[in-house]
């Protein structure tokens, strides 16, 4: 009888250890349920100690919170196939595996899942924690520098935000003035859906000709000033200006250059002026 008990225990233990399920099935279970899932990590340390993993059915975040064991995610790089066991937890609206009770890196340098594509509306609950690409994106704050926080963008008539965390590779880089094809991971914070770009490669310039450096005002005197800007390829230098938003005056310089500089003269001292710069590459 003793041998039968031992054999049964071993069999039960073996069955329990391979109880891996699809991520989509795990996402349908109640908070607090312990699950084992396997997927590809779609990023590395650029998003901190969290890892988003994805299989053919969906994506989920894994976070080494209080009670987690091991050194996760130290050896979990982008493209790693990893098996994770832990409890389901909802943190500020985001479904996570937290705490992580065990994990195994199965292999490295795997191809990432193909991002889904669409408009900003695809950043939603159904697509939480998976890779996605939104084409023809313009940022509200183009020309400024990324710092920690959220940044609005639009594509067509729809809009959303990306979030940049502390220590992120984008910190201190220029927010694109050009139209970009934006790739990132769908996420959620306090009921607001957002996208997590991983690095500059996720902001693929979609335009052939665009401004790379925002206009700067210099050489300010009583009756004028200079406006300077840069483009990625040679083009003309033009300014529309006036004392109202209707503008009205035009200065055009036909020399082709990437470093543009136009000086306005004959202005009225103490007057406010509106100005719009533009370039044409032909």
């Amino acid at each position: 009888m003793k041998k039968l008990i031992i054999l049964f225990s071993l069999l039960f233990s073996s069955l329990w250890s391979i109880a891996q399920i699809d991520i989509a099935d795990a996402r349908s279970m109640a908070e607090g349920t312990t699950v084992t899932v396997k997927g590809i990590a779609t990023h590395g340390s650029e998003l901190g100690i969290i890892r988003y993993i994805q299989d053919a059915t969906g994506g989920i975040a894994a976070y080494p919170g209080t009670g987690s064991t091991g050194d996760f995610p130290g050896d979990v790089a982008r493209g790693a196939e990893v098996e994770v066991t832990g409890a389901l937890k909802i943190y500020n609206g985001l479904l996570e595996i937290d705490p992580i009770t065990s994990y195994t890196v199965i292999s490295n340098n795997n191809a990432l899942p193909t991002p889904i594509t669409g408009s900003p509306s695809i950043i939603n609950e159904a697509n939480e924690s998976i890779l996605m690409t939104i084409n023809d994106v313009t940022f509200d704050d183009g020309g400024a520098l990324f710092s920690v926080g959220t940044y609005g963008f639009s594509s067509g008539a729809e809009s959303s935000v990306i979030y940049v965390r502390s220590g992120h590779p984008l910190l201190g880089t220029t927010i694109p003035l050009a139209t970009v094809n934006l790739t990132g991971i769908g996420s959620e914070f306090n009921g607001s859906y957002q996208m997590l770009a991983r690095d500059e490669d996720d902001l693929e310039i979609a335009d052939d000709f665009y401004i790379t450096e925002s206009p700067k005002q210099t050489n300010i005197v009583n009756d004028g000033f200079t406006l300077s800007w840069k483009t990625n390829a040679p083009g003309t230098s033009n300014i529309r200006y006036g004392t109202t938003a209707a503008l009205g005056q035009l200065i055009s310089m036909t020399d082709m250059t990437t470093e543009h500089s136009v000086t306005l003269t004959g202005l009225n001292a103490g007057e406010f002026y509106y100005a719009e710069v533009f370039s044409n590459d032909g």
Side-chain angles (χ1 to χ4, degrees):
M1 178 62 72
K2 183 177 181 180
K3 289 184 179 179
L4 289 175
I5 293 173
I6 293 172
L7 287 173
F8 176 80
S9 298
L10 291 174
L11 179 60
F12 180 82
S13 175
S14 175
L15 288 173
W16 179 263
S17 68
I18 61 171
Q20 175 199 313
I21 59 175
D22 290 339
I23 289 177
D25 291 334
R27 293 190 63 87
S28 69
M29 295 180 175
E31 185 176 9
T33 304
T34 296
V35 298
T36 297
V37 298
K38 181 175 69 175
I40 303 295
T42 53
H43 66 98
S45 61
E46 57 269 32
L47 299 183
I49 61 175
I50 198 169
R51 289 296 184 273
Y52 290 83
I53 63 174
Q54 187 174 335
D55 67 9
T57 69
I60 197 168
Y63 185 86
T66 302
S68 291
T69 58
D71 59 352
F72 184 94
D75 55 352
V76 181
R78 187 185 302 196
E81 184 179 30
V82 60
E83 183 179 86
V84 181
T85 298
L88 295 175
K89 177 181 178 180
I90 298 175
Y91 178 75
N92 288 323
L94 178 67
L95 180 64
E96 302 176 341
I97 296 176
D98 172 11
I100 297 166
T101 54
S102 67
Y103 80 100
T104 302
V105 176
I106 299 168
S107 60
N108 288 295
N109 301 314
N110 296 283
L112 298 187
T114 300
I116 65 170
T117 58
S119 65
S121 63
I122 67 173
I123 309 173
N124 57 34
E125 184 69 27
N127 297 322
E128 186 178 270
S129 299
I130 68 173
L131 272 178
M132 55 185 63
T133 296
I134 300 172
N135 294 322
D136 300 324
V137 162
T138 56
F139 281 96
D140 299 343
D141 299 315
L145 299 180
F146 280 114
S147 59
V148 175
T150 56
Y151 293 89
F153 67 85
S154 59
S155 177
E158 297 179 6
S159 61
S160 189
V161 299
I162 68 168
Y163 175 70
V164 178
R165 66 177 299 276
S166 60
H168 195 281
L170 287 176
L171 290 179
T173 65
T174 301
I175 301 172
L177 287 156
T179 303
V180 302
N181 298 326
L182 177 63
T183 297
I185 300 166
S187 189
E188 182 180 356
F189 183 74
N190 283 341
S192 297
Y193 296 103
Q194 58 190 13
M195 198 170 180
L196 305 176
R198 298 161 296 177
D199 52 36
E200 286 188 279
D201 290 339
D202 280 344
L203 281 61
E204 177 193 26
I205 301 296
D207 295 332
D208 294 325
F209 183 57
Y210 53 92
I211 292 176
T212 59
E213 187 174 297
S214 296
K216 292 181 174 62
Q217 186 185 34
T218 58
N219 303 325
I220 302 173
V221 295
N222 286 340
D223 66 344
F225 54 84
T226 298
L227 289 177
S228 304
W229 67 99
K230 294 181 181 179
T231 53
N232 70 309
T236 62
S237 306
N238 312 277
I239 293 181
R240 295 188 185 95
Y241 69 98
T243 56
T244 70
L247 306 176
Q249 304 294 316
L250 173 65
I251 299 176
S252 294
M253 301 174 65
T254 58
D255 291 344
M256 304 291 281
T257 182
T258 59
E259 298 191 6
H260 309 270
S261 182
V262 179
T263 298
L264 283 66
T265 61
L267 306 182
N268 298 323
E271 186 88 63
F272 283 98
Y273 282 85
Y274 296 78
E276 176 185 70
V277 307
F278 64 100
S279 295
N280 188 332
D281 68 345

